[in-house]
Amino acid sequence: MAGKWQGWVVGMVGLSCLLVFAPLGLYVWAGGGPSSGPAAVPPQVRVTGCRIDRPSRRAVAVLEARGEGSYVATVGFRDRRPSAPDAREARVLVRLPGLSPDAPPARTEAVGPVWAAGAGVWCGVEGVEGAG
């Protein structure tokens, strides 16, 4: 009689494993692994100008971008002496829509915060992400 129960136990354990691991296997299989298409190349974004606008006293960075697709760039503004205890830092997001590799570089401005009179400013691209 003990042999009959062992067969049932083995059968139930096997069925339980199938019910648990089959959906996991289907999920992994349906994921497909790495895409076979070309990898997206991030755009080249650089600062071509950095100034303080005299009338508004706002920091302004002039950007030039090349690539393909739409992106959002993070532009940073800092004092020329970032290690000083009273150094100022600010970040602004700039949208770069519809870049095309065949078109001339897109140009845009990132307008930062009001900057202290007589203080120097440094502008730079701190990151670029796809805008979806």
Side-chain angles (χ1 to χ4, degrees):
M1 185 104 165
K4 273 185 157 180
W5 286 105
Q6 287 177 347
W8 276 99
V9 170
V10 169
M12 293 305 278
V13 168
L15 182 61
S16 298
C17 289
L18 186 64
L19 289 174
V20 170
F21 293 109
L24 179 63
L26 286 172
Y27 175 76
V28 171
W29 175 73
S35 66
S36 59
V41 177
Q44 297 173 340
V45 182
R46 65 187 185 112
V47 174
T48 59
C50 184
R51 70 182 195 288
I52 298 175
D53 183 55
R54 288 193 188 273
S56 66
R57 288 193 10 229
R58 290 188 171 272
V60 178
V62 181
L63 301 173
E64 180 177 280
R66 294 175 185 262
E68 184 173 4
S70 296
Y71 295 90
V72 174
T74 303
V75 179
F77 299 93
R78 287 193 299 222
D79 284 316
R80 290 182 194 234
R81 45 189 173 91
S83 60
D86 61 343
R88 262 186 95 173
E89 291 188 19
R91 289 178 184 81
V92 175
L93 297 177
V94 177
R95 186 166 172 78
L96 305 166
L99 298 179
S100 173
D102 301 331
R107 289 185 173 80
T108 189
E109 288 187 346
V111 180
V114 174
W115 213 253
V121 65
W122 172 90
C123 308
V125 178
E126 295 185 353
V128 179
E129 295 182 14

